[in-house]
Structures are given as C-alpha cells and as structure tokens.
Amino acid sequence: MPSSLSEALTNSSVSLDFLKQDDWITSGKMGSREAVLVFRTNILNPKTRKSLSEKSSAQTLSDPKDNEEEAPAPCEKTEPEEKTSTSSATCSNEALKEAAQRKIYFLRNAQNCDKSDKSKFLSPFKKLMHQYSSSDTSISSEGEEPARCSSESKSRVLKTNQNAINISLAESSSKESGYDSMKPVKTNANTDTSEEDQDQEATSEEDDEIGVNMPAFKLKITYKFHQTETKLLRKLFTVHGLTETQGENNFNLLWTGVHMKLDILRNLAPYQRVNHFPRSYELTRKDRLYKNIERMQHLRGMKHFDIVPQSYVLPLESRDLMVAHNKHRGPWIVKPAASSRGRGIFIVNSPDQIPQDEQVLVSKYIVDPLCIDGHKCDLRVYVLVTSFDPLIIYLYEEGIVRLATVRYDRHADNLWNPCMHLCNYSINKYHSDYIRSSDAQVEDVGHKWTLSALLRHLKYQGCDTHQLMLNIEDLIIKAVLACAQTIISACRMFVPNGNNCFELYGFDILIDNSLKPWLLEINLSPSMGVDSPLDTKVKSCLMADLLTCVGIPAYSPEMRSHYDQKWSRFRSSSCQRQATVPPPSSSQKSTKKSKKKGAAVHTNLLTGEEQRILRSARHQYSRRGGFVRIFPTDDTMQRYGNFLDSANGIPISTPTVQSQTFQTPILQHNYNQMLHFNLYCQDGRLSKDDNTEENRIEQYERALETDSEIPFVKKPAMEKCEEEGRRLRKVMLKKITAGSELTQFQARQTFSLYLESVMRRLTEDPKDSHEKIILKFLNKFGGSVKPPVLFRNMQNLKVASKARSAMVAKLLGDFLENYKRDTESYVDSFDHFGMIPSSAYNQFLMHAQESDLEAVLTLHTNVTGIMPFLYNRCGLSVPPTPPIPSGLHGFLRALPSMVSASGTARELSKYDGYFKSYEKDKIFL
Ligand code: ADP
C-alpha cells in the first residue's frame, strides 16, 4: 500500500495505448489531484470513433513522471474561464474546447449493430422481451412511421409533417410501459416527482471495445446504478471506459433514482460522487416545495416569491381552499402528492368536486397559458446544483418545450381532456395526432420543441425573451434558496467532502400569456428516455456535459487506496464535514471585516477549505460545456444578498433573527461571499467576465450545434408471421388441453402482450365498448394506476374522441408498466415438469397476434381456473375464475369480472355522485 499521495501518484502511471489522454482528462494532468474525466457525445458515433482511433494511435503517450501532486491545471494558470466565450470550454485542453464547440450527438447506427450482440447485455427477461418487442414493429421502441395528420392538427405546429414521424400508439406505449424500459426498480416508494426512463438502446460489444482503450478503464473507474436504469447514461459510461460495480461502496460514481442512504453518504471518500444531495426532497416533493416557497412568501414578501400557483395540501387545508375559492373562483388542478408524469391529475371547477379522503395538492389552474399555434405548452429545463454552500447553480443552455396535442380551449366542457390541458409527453404520446420531429436540426416541429427554438419563435413575434429568461433564472434561484437551508444542514451532518454530491433537477415551468413563468414542480430524476432525434441530441449532450462539469476524479486505484486509508483514519475521529475545515485563521476574520469595509479578500488569505472551494469552482466553470452558471453571477449579491444570512451566507428561510436561524457551525464562514468576491470583484476581473446577462441569454437562444445530421436509431424489426402464429397457437392449445400449463412467467408475459395489443387498438381503432371495459377493469383493480375520479365513470365522457382513447390508453400503459416490472421477478431459469417448454413458448409469443394470445389465455384460464393477472406467488389460493366466453374479445369482456372474482377489487363507486355535480357545473373559464 502506498504510504503517501506522491507515492500513490508515482505508482499510478497508466499507459494509454490507444487514445490521447488529454482528450479525456482535464483540469489537471493524469494522476494529479484535480484531474477529472471528460465525457464527449461524439464518441457515441462509430464514425467519429474510427477517426479518433486512427488519429490517436499515432500520438505519443504522456510521461507518467509528469504526474505531480497538485500539478496545476493548464486553465488555472491564466484563469481563462473568466475570459473565453460561454459556448466553449475554456481550459487549454483542445479536445474539450472542440467538444463544446462542435457537439456531435450521434447514437450508434442500428445497421452496424448485431441484434444478438445487443441482447447479450440484457437480463434474461429483458432478452426475451427484447425479442418480442423487436419482432413486432408496432411495439418497437424506435420504429418510425410516416406521419399521419388529422384535421385537428393543421397548424404551424405540424407544418412540416412530411418530415415528422408518428410512432404508433402501441410503439410509444411500449416505451412508456415497455419491456425495453424494464428495470430493476420495484416501486417508487418515495413521494418525489421522480421520472423514470423509458427507452433507449442497450450498450453493445462495440461500446465495450472502445471503452477498454479509455483512461477511465485503465484507472478502473467504476459506476453503480441504484434503483434506476438510465440507458443513455450506461452507454456514455461504457464508451468512456467506466465499468459497473455491484459492490456496496467501491464506486467512483453512484447514480441513484431515489434518495441516498445516510450511511452511504457518511462514508463517501473524497473521490466519490453521488447524484443527489441529502434532503433534496425539500425541492422535489410537490407539497414540500410549495410549503418552502410559501414560507418565503411570508418571510420576504409575496412580490419576491410569487413564483408558484397558489396551492393547498388536502385534506389538511380544505377550509383554506374553500375560502380561497370563494374569493377567486376556480378552476383548480388536482395532483396526487405522490405522483409524476401526469398520473392521477384532473381539473375541477370547484373544490367540492375533490374527494376528501386522498392526499392531493390542489393548485390554482393557470387559465391563460402561453400557446404555440393554439396549443398549450410548458417547459422542462435542467438545473444542476454542484454545491449548496457555497451555492452554485447552473442552468443547461437547452431545454425541452412540451406541447399538448389538442388545441387549447378555455371552455369548462373541455376540462376533462388531458391532451388539451396537460403537456406531459407521457400522456400526449398516446394521442394518435402526436407528432415527433424526425430531424434533430428541426427544433420547432411537432409536439416537442427545444427551448432555444421557442425563444427564437417568441423573439420573432416581438416578445421580450431576454426578460423571460431572466425571470426563469430568478425563479430557479429563488426556489433553490427557499429549500437550501435544510439541505445545507443535512450536508453538514452527513456529507464528508464538499464535492461528493451534485444533483440534476428537472424544473417544469409553465409560462402564461403575459410571459410570466410559473414553477409547477421539480423532478428528482428527470427522465433521460429518448423518443426522437431531438431528444437524443439534447439529452446526450446534457448528460455528457453534466458528467464533465461535475468532474469524476481520474484517480488510479493507488490514489484511491491512499485516500481510503487516510479516510478510514479520519472517520474514526469524526464524520462531520466541518471537521475538515482548518482552525479559524486570520483570513476568516479578515473576510468578515472586509465584507463590512468592502475591502478585498485576497486569495492568499483564504483558508485551505476556501481555497479548495475557489479552485474547484474555477475548474468546474472551465468544464461547464453547455451549462450556464446562474449563481453566483456578477450581480448575485446585489439581487439575492437580502435572502442570505449576512454572517454565514446561508439562505435564510425561517422567521427568526438572522444569524441565529441556522444551527451555527463551529466555525463561522461565508463561502457565498468569498466565492462571489473572488470570482467577480477581485483584480478588476468583473469586466472580463463572460457570464454576463447578455452572454447568458444569447446562449439560451442559440441552438445546440451539431455538425451533421443525426441518424435516429431504428430498432431492427423482426417480421411476425401470421401463419406461423396460427400454427403455433394450435400447438399450444393442444398442449394445454393435454394437461400442460403455462408457468407464472409465461402467463404474465402472454397477458402483458395481449393488453399491449388492446392498448394499440384503443387509439388506432377506438371502440367505445373496449374503452369502457378497460376503464372498468382498472377501476376495479385499483392500485397505483387507478383512474383519477373524473375518469372513473365513462358515461360522463360522452364525446368519443381521440383524446379519450389516449387517456384510457395512458392508464392501461401505466398499469402495464407496473405489471411488467413485477413480471421480471418471475423469470424461470429452467423448464418445469408439466409446464410448456420455454423455447417453444417463446417461439409462439414471437409470432402471436392478439387473437392467438387471446385464444391461449382463454383456454388456459378455463382449464386452470386461474386469472392470468393473478399469476403471482399467492395467486393459487384465490377463488377460481368464472368461465370465459369464447369468441372474439371474449377474454376482454370477461376481464372486469375476473377482477371482482379475485376479491382484489376496491370499492371506488363512492365517487360516482361526484359526476352529477360536475355535469351540472359547467362554466366558462
Ligand atoms: P406531473 O409531475 O404529474 O407531470 P405537473 O405538475 O408537471 O405534474 O403537471 C402536469 C401538467 O399539468 C403540466 O405539464 C402542465 O401543463 C399542467 N399543469 C400543472 N399545474 C398547472 C397549473 N397550475 N395551471 C395550469 N396547468 C398546470
């Protein structure tokens, strides 16, 4: 074991035989303490890889002797981060600069990818479902079809519909709930607005090949996923040479879909990174966020924090809601407190239409949203916080604008229509008129635009986009300030090193027609699912820039073990971060004094911790890629100084005397003041700063640059043979009649595929009666996907429409998503006696049509008396199901009664009275 860091560094020489290390390491030379990995999207493109490998194979390797502890980063010498343009990385590292200037966001071309290779990396269950879904073009996650245009969609939104693609409902729903999206997450137990990833391709052998030549591979840098699966991220890791670890603590980067366990946080070594801060649910839980902002409204004045629609948490605040309603009449939008992706949301005219026994957040409905060609839209912007003390917030230069599929109409008759009032992709994609842009360079087509395209569109119309973006920045900073105090105190208690945590938040913002932005919610794990070239471009770029900006230390195993040793010694004495701060020095006193006097806080008067913070902030800024730092900025202190404690710089959100509000740390410091001063006020650097308002706004308005067209990966579709399906169906029916049974896994697979076919029909060939059956089934089934009260009774949705079909399909999609996730745990590793052999059954599933699946399910259920959806571990003890009528859709018709027989039905009819009052209460908004 190396005894000192310099020894560890000497031992850490890593030979790079393929790629030039400077392309992939920045902020310091390999082996230096500051060195971090570089992530670049262009390596996702096989063509770029080829040229890179050709170019790099001729290049010489760096001399490992150059590796010195604390070797200054090239960018640190000249402090260039304050001098160069915002669009390019400022480090002298040419590769990084190039990456920032010429972003290439290609995903691997499917033609070059052997499907069998691909499926090699999937779990056994995924492998099977990968086969089925690719065997059916309609549920292929990335298949494309020519656009279909309806009379409802002839506006500019759809202007280039010949270019647009419209992946069929079933295909997109397979992504939403699909087998492709299968992941080890069981349920999202917490109540944050966490989004789940939906699609993307798996990594391939080719990715592994390129990965092994990367510095990260040689350095044995590892990542770990916990309760999440982000395929885009997995791909980025693989091609950059990071390897997955299953170990509890031996990761360099932990990417989790849920909040961190405090135990893990407490034991983080300085080189480890995790993607969440402790207690960030203060921001990401709808009810907590609103309460935090409400507190700031009381403390600092409504005019400063009028950033969220007035909201009430029911049933606790029912009376307050009634009072507010009597003052200013509805409508109100009702959201389950523990939900995301538009699940369970509905709009009412009056609070008495809201059931009293569910915990919901009720918000004032903004009736005059900004519309694009008549379609309501909202924004998803990506906010990166790399530190809460000091507060460092970045806003990604590009965001996504989501449009509702149906044109907006304020009439109360339309309040039920989620495809008009909600902009969630996860709802609108089920509408048959939903259009995706098929070209990454065309950003203002279809129902998903980029933020920059919206800004250009609004500017063209004469809107003040400059002020709009400043207001959005302001809203983001204020939301973070409102929640920061609790997070900072948690960081102090649980996070041992200043750089351990970072977090990417998905902010959902609605803009009203006066261009005022309203914060709707903040997502804990914004979806990185991609459904179009546009998505691919924005999200792969975002993730690569995020990883580079955050900085994964490029430490060798020797360096890590050195730190681990040091750390275990340190942990035995204390695990509090502040303990790492050196004793108070004259600099701290001088910091306080200088603040009062307005005098300079010179860098060499800073404590060790302050120097680390400053150095880290500068390096990070130099690696920011497309991230725009919105806090601190030049005018931060002027604008937000009031909201910070004057002594320690911590955002104050409790109504007590300043300086006494925060559990005062042992040592007094003001990192915000120190950072702002050193970045913006010292040595006249202010004038050279490139992070000015003008530069920032310009960056938001500029489209992400790509240097060639983006081929969107189309999953190779396997032909289904109808005849073969019929033949195999006969074989299966014969086997079942002869006494063979389906395993639980096979039965659940069959049921899922059958429901997928039904879901597809719901929008392609809507049948009123089938929508009713499905709603009845879901109503009875209850659970997390039960329809919102408004939709539980089909009689109230008299007008047959595509939107109604989409709504039912969405509900079914949500049900399927959970069902399939559960199914994963039923995979059989070998064939059981008396059961149908899996290879034969898989063949059948590969070619089966809806009618084949229905025939097998019907016979099997009649023979065994067990309902397929109850093919779970306790399913055998339930009462037998009544016989299923034969004939077309017999199984579907029997579905709701099967749930009743199972005894799992939940009594939901108590809400039925509600519909009468809703019917009567039609008003104009
Ligand atoms: P979820 O987490 O389920 O996506 P959101 O809060 O983002 O919930 O709301 C979903 C959609 O509902 C948004 O896309 C937006 O269009 C609409 N919406 C939410 N709140 C309001 C509101 N107060 N006024 C108008 N529309 C809203």
Side-chain angles (χ1 to χ4, degrees):
M1 283 287 163
S3 57
S4 67
L5 183 59
S6 54
E7 202 182 319
L9 294 171
T10 319
N11 294 342
S12 72
S13 59
V14 173
S15 72
L16 302 177
D17 48 7
F18 173 47
L19 296 161
K20 195 182 164 210
Q21 75 168 50
D22 279 358
D23 285 354
W24 309 104
I25 305 275
T26 188
S27 292
K29 289 192 175 172
M30 170 102 101
S32 74
R33 197 192 281 179
E34 307 290 346
V36 296
L37 302 177
V38 173
F39 290 80
R40 302 167 66 193
T41 47
N42 57 3
I43 198 175
L44 295 171
N45 182 355
K47 280 186 203 153
T48 320
R49 290 175 193 177
K50 198 162 166 277
S51 68
L52 254 174
S53 80
E54 279 161 7
K55 201 176 90 182
S56 307
S57 59
Q59 284 167 340
T60 52
L61 306 177
S62 69
D63 184 355
K65 283 177 201 138
D66 290 345
N67 300 334
E68 283 169 21
E69 189 173 1
E70 294 291 340
C75 49
E76 202 181 14
K77 285 178 198 156
T78 52
E79 297 168 338
E81 73 273 17
E82 306 295 337
K83 294 174 184 169
T84 50
S85 87
T86 46
S87 65
S88 64
T90 50
C91 200
S92 62
N93 184 331
E94 282 304 312
L96 191 57
K97 227 182 240 176
E98 185 197 338
Q101 283 166 351
R102 298 173 60 240
K103 288 171 182 163
I104 312 165
Y105 313 103
F106 289 12
L107 282 182
R108 257 168 42 74
N109 189 333
Q111 271 80 34
N112 298 341
C113 174
D114 178 358
K115 203 167 81 58
S116 59
D117 285 353
K118 241 175 161 182
S119 56
K120 211 170 118 183
F121 295 88
L122 305 176
S123 70
F125 177 67
K126 278 186 193 170
K127 241 187 238 181
L128 283 173
M129 299 326 293
H130 181 78
Q131 276 177 315
Y132 305 136
S133 48
S134 43
S135 69
D136 180 349
T137 47
S138 54
I139 59 167
S140 142
S141 72
E142 286 159 20
E144 296 175 13
E145 280 176 18
R148 277 170 289 146
C149 237
S150 81
S151 54
E152 216 175 320
S153 340
K154 293 221 170 94
S155 63
R156 184 176 170 275
V157 177
L158 315 175
K159 67 181 179 185
T160 57
N161 53 25
Q162 67 275 24
N163 291 332
I165 56 170
N166 187 359
I167 302 180
S168 72
L169 159 80
E171 176 268 318
S172 39
S173 56
S174 81
K175 271 185 284 178
E176 171 76 358
S177 57
Y179 292 114
D180 268 5
S181 67
M182 214 51 89
K183 52 184 188 222
V185 183
K186 282 287 159 210
T187 47
N188 193 4
N190 64 53
T191 53
D192 292 80
T193 44
S194 167
E195 298 178 320
E196 295 158 358
D197 296 307
Q198 297 159 17
D199 47 18
Q200 303 145 8
E201 55 179 12
T203 55
S204 70
E205 237 169 31
E206 224 180 89
D207 297 333
D208 287 343
E209 271 167 32
I210 186 93
V212 297
N213 291 302
M214 292 298 226
F217 188 81
K218 316 271 175 177
L219 290 164
K220 299 191 173 57
I221 307 247
T222 55
Y223 69 92
K224 180 178 171 166
F225 280 134
H226 176 64
Q227 301 225 7
T228 188
E229 166 64 66
T230 303
K231 287 179 188 158
L232 175 64
L233 206 49
R234 184 181 287 282
K235 198 175 182 75
L236 272 171
F237 289 149
T238 310
V239 295
H240 286 87
L242 284 83
T243 43
E244 189 170 14
T245 176
Q246 301 300 335
E248 223 359 62
N249 296 317
N250 64 339
F251 55 81
N252 293 77
L253 171 66
L254 172 63
W255 195 275
T256 148
V258 292
H259 291 289
M260 300 286 310
K261 280 191 199 147
L262 295 180
D263 235 26
I264 296 180
L265 274 176
R266 276 201 191 102
N267 292 317
L268 290 172
Y271 58 83
Q272 290 183 303
R273 301 284 177 268
V274 293
N275 70 328
H276 294 297
F277 285 94
R279 292 198 195 143
S280 61
Y281 54 77
E282 293 291 339
L283 278 159
T284 57
R285 269 184 59 150
K286 285 184 174 91
D287 49 351
R288 293 300 310 144
L289 173 70
Y290 184 74
K291 285 290 144 202
N292 285 327
I293 290 175
E294 193 185 43
R295 209 175 43 224
M296 292 300 264
Q297 290 172 346
H298 293 145
L299 194 66
R300 304 285 175 193
M302 186 67 181
K303 72 172 182 188
H304 292 300
F305 280 84
D306 187 21
I307 55 174
V308 284
Q310 189 186 5
S311 300
Y312 300 89
V313 180
L314 297 197
L316 208 69
E317 298 173 331
S318 308
R319 194 168 292 176
D320 298 338
L321 173 63
M322 276 320 286
V323 172
H325 180 69
N326 289 336
K327 245 187 189 170
H328 307 286
R329 298 257 132 194
W332 300 89
I333 182 163
V334 186
K335 306 174 190 179
S339 186
S340 64
R341 289 161 59 186
R343 274 177 288 216
I345 296 184
F346 58 97
I347 303 161
V348 294
N349 278 317
S350 160
D352 55 26
Q353 297 166 325
I354 304 168
Q356 290 299 307
D357 58 349
E358 286 178 42
Q359 210 190 339
V360 288
L361 184 81
V362 180
S363 304
K364 191 98 191 74
Y365 188 69
I366 296 175
V367 290
D368 50 358
L370 174 72
C371 289
I372 302 178
D373 291 325
H375 294 251
K376 177 177 173 176
C377 67
D378 71 9
L379 298 185
R380 157 60 54 86
V381 294
Y382 299 97
V383 174
L384 169 65
V385 178
T386 56
S387 161
F388 273 89
D389 182 25
L391 190 56
I392 303 182
I393 312 175
Y394 297 89
L395 170 58
Y396 200 60
E397 63 179 328
E398 193 57 286
I400 287 174
V401 183
R402 305 169 302 189
L403 279 75
T405 330
V406 178
R407 286 177 79 90
Y408 189 71
D409 181 348
R410 290 170 53 130
H411 197 285
D413 272 358
N414 299 313
L415 281 184
W416 71 271
N417 191 340
C419 294
M420 175 188 290
H421 291 280
L422 312 185
C423 303
N424 303 70
Y425 165 70
S426 47
I427 293 175
N428 285 281
K429 70 177 187 177
Y430 288 96
H431 198 287
S432 53
D433 292 338
Y434 186 84
I435 296 214
R436 292 167 177 81
S437 159
S438 61
D439 183 346
Q441 310 304 333
V442 184
E443 299 180 358
D444 59 351
V445 161
H447 295 101
K448 209 181 251 187
W449 288 25
T450 58
L451 169 64
S452 59
L454 175 72
L455 294 176
R456 292 190 298 272
H457 169 80
L458 291 176
K459 203 170 186 177
Y460 183 74
Q461 293 191 335
C463 300
D464 187 352
T465 50
H466 187 106
Q467 193 53 46
L468 170 65
M469 283 315 295
L470 287 184
N471 290 344
I472 288 177
E473 285 185 350
D474 182 68
L475 170 153
I476 293 167
I477 294 166
K478 283 178 174 163
V480 176
L481 287 175
C483 306
Q485 190 173 326
T486 321
I487 300 174
I488 293 170
S489 79
C491 287
R492 290 219 168 137
M493 274 192 276
F494 307 117
V495 186
N497 305 282
N499 278 339
N500 282 144
C501 301
F502 66 91
E503 190 144 355
L504 182 74
Y505 299 102
F507 274 61
D508 286 349
I509 294 171
L510 185 79
I511 303 171
D512 68 20
N513 66 5
S514 69
L515 286 193
K516 176 176 168 52
W518 294 92
L519 178 59
L520 298 182
E521 64 159 345
I522 303 176
N523 286 281
L524 172 77
S525 297
S527 166
M528 287 300 134
V530 293
D531 76 312
S532 67
L534 197 70
D535 252 355
T536 310
K537 178 172 89 167
V538 175
K539 290 176 182 170
S540 50
C541 186
L542 166 75
M543 288 323 259
D545 285 352
L546 170 87
L547 294 168
T548 310
C549 179
V550 163
I552 314 294
Y555 284 9
S556 66
E558 288 80 12
M559 288 173 75
R560 293 202 293 268
S561 79
H562 167 84
Y563 272 120
D564 286 342
Q565 276 181 339
K566 205 172 134 193
W567 207 235
S568 60
R569 279 200 305 275
F570 169 76
R571 267 203 303 269
S572 59
S573 54
S574 164
C575 65
Q576 303 246 330
R577 183 185 157 199
Q578 60 259 43
T580 63
V581 182
S585 68
S586 56
S587 67
Q588 282 169 327
K589 287 169 206 152
S590 76
T591 306
K592 283 176 82 181
K593 265 190 225 156
S594 64
K595 204 186 93 199
K596 279 183 201 144
K597 292 179 190 167
V601 183
H602 201 267
T603 317
N604 57 22
L605 290 178
L606 301 179
T607 64
E609 179 68 354
E610 285 169 338
Q611 284 177 26
R612 184 200 64 74
I613 289 172
L614 183 59
R615 196 171 54 236
S616 159
R618 285 184 174 152
H619 279 310
Q620 199 175 74
Y621 189 71
S622 75
R623 305 189 297 256
R624 72 197 178 281
F627 281 100
V628 177
R629 192 168 69 204
I630 58 172
F631 194 103
T633 55
D634 169 23
D635 57 351
T636 299
M637 287 300 154
Q638 208 179 324
R639 277 199 204 176
Y640 304 101
N642 271 351
F643 307 135
L644 307 177
D645 184 290
S646 58
N648 59 27
I650 305 294
I652 302 295
S653 50
T654 38
T656 36
V657 186
Q658 285 208 345
S659 305
Q660 293 175 2
T661 54
F662 194 73
Q663 182 201 1
T664 314
I666 302 160
L667 306 169
Q668 194 71 272
H669 58 240
N670 191 331
Y671 292 150
N672 280 320
Q673 181 80 27
M674 180 279 299
L675 195 60
H676 181 264
F677 182 84
N678 280 284
L679 293 179
Y680 291 100
C681 308
Q682 209 183 10
D683 304 332
R685 291 174 63 151
L686 187 61
S687 53
K688 294 176 202 153
D689 179 43
D690 61 354
N691 199 24
T692 58
E693 227 172 81
E694 280 68 32
N695 286 349
R696 300 202 302 270
I697 306 300
E698 210 177 276
Q699 195 170 347
Y700 300 131
E701 286 176 358
R702 200 170 48 216
L704 277 177
E705 291 161 39
T706 53
D707 65 356
S708 56
E709 239 177 75
I710 294 189
F712 184 56
V713 178
K714 185 172 176 175
K715 195 191 257 182
M718 243 187 73
E719 278 285 297
K720 256 192 184 197
C721 175
E722 218 176 305
E723 219 170 282
E724 182 66 357
R726 270 202 299 273
R727 187 187 73 78
L728 290 170
R729 157 182 162 176
K730 276 185 200 151
V731 175
M732 291 307 137
L733 293 177
K734 222 168 165 182
K735 279 184 191 289
I736 294 169
T737 315
S740 289
E741 279 189 27
L742 301 184
T743 62
Q744 289 178 324
F745 179 59
Q746 287 167 341
R748 291 181 68 106
Q749 277 179 299
T750 318
F751 186 52
S752 308
L753 287 174
Y754 173 72
L755 285 186
E756 267 191 359
S757 308
V758 172
M759 186 168 64
R760 216 158 29 239
R761 272 197 299 102
L762 282 181
T763 52
E764 284 174 358
D765 175 25
K767 274 198 178 65
D768 206 26
S769 58
H770 290 183
E771 287 174 12
K772 279 181 190 157
I773 292 169
I774 293 297
L775 266 190
K776 207 165 166 187
F777 166 69
L778 294 174
N779 268 339
K780 286 188 168 183
F781 204 85
S784 60
V785 289
K786 67 174 190 269
V789 277
L790 186 59
F791 304 133
R792 286 176 200 165
N793 189 344
M794 255 334 237
Q795 310 313 318
N796 295 291
L797 308 176
K798 284 184 186 128
V799 195
S801 75
K802 293 174 182 176
R804 195 180 73 178
S805 307
M807 183 208 69
V808 179
K810 151 81 176 153
L811 292 170
L812 186 55
D814 287 346
F815 168 82
L816 270 168
E817 186 180 334
N818 290 345
Y819 188 79
K820 284 188 227 165
R821 200 174 283 157
D822 290 346
T823 301
E824 206 174 341
S825 60
Y826 291 82
V827 181
D828 296 301
S829 41
F830 53 88
D831 288 335
H832 300 267
F833 180 73
M835 302 294 194
I836 297 179
S838 55
S839 56
Y841 201 70
N842 292 343
Q843 275 297 316
F844 164 67
L845 291 182
M846 205 106 82
H847 296 287
Q849 310 279 330
E850 184 182 332
S851 56
D852 304 322
L853 297 166
E854 183 171 31
V856 167
L857 283 171
T858 304
L859 180 66
H860 192 260
T861 312
N862 282 341
V863 167
T864 61
I866 301 167
M867 299 72 92
F869 47 85
L870 285 176
Y871 268 110
N872 51 32
R873 306 233 184 269
C874 56
L876 297 176
S877 62
V878 299
T881 182
I884 295 172
S886 54
L888 191 64
H889 305 313
F891 186 83
L892 187 64
R893 283 198 298 275
L895 207 51
S897 58
M898 286 196 250
V899 189
S900 307
S902 76
T904 59
R906 287 184 47 181
E907 188 46 70
L908 297 167
S909 55
K910 58 189 163 197
Y911 298 125
D912 286 357
Y914 150 74
F915 293 104
K916 286 190 188 103
S917 60
Y918 181 79
E919 279 289 286
K920 274 188 268 157
D921 194 13
K922 281 177 188 162
I923 54 161
F924 284 88
L925 304 180

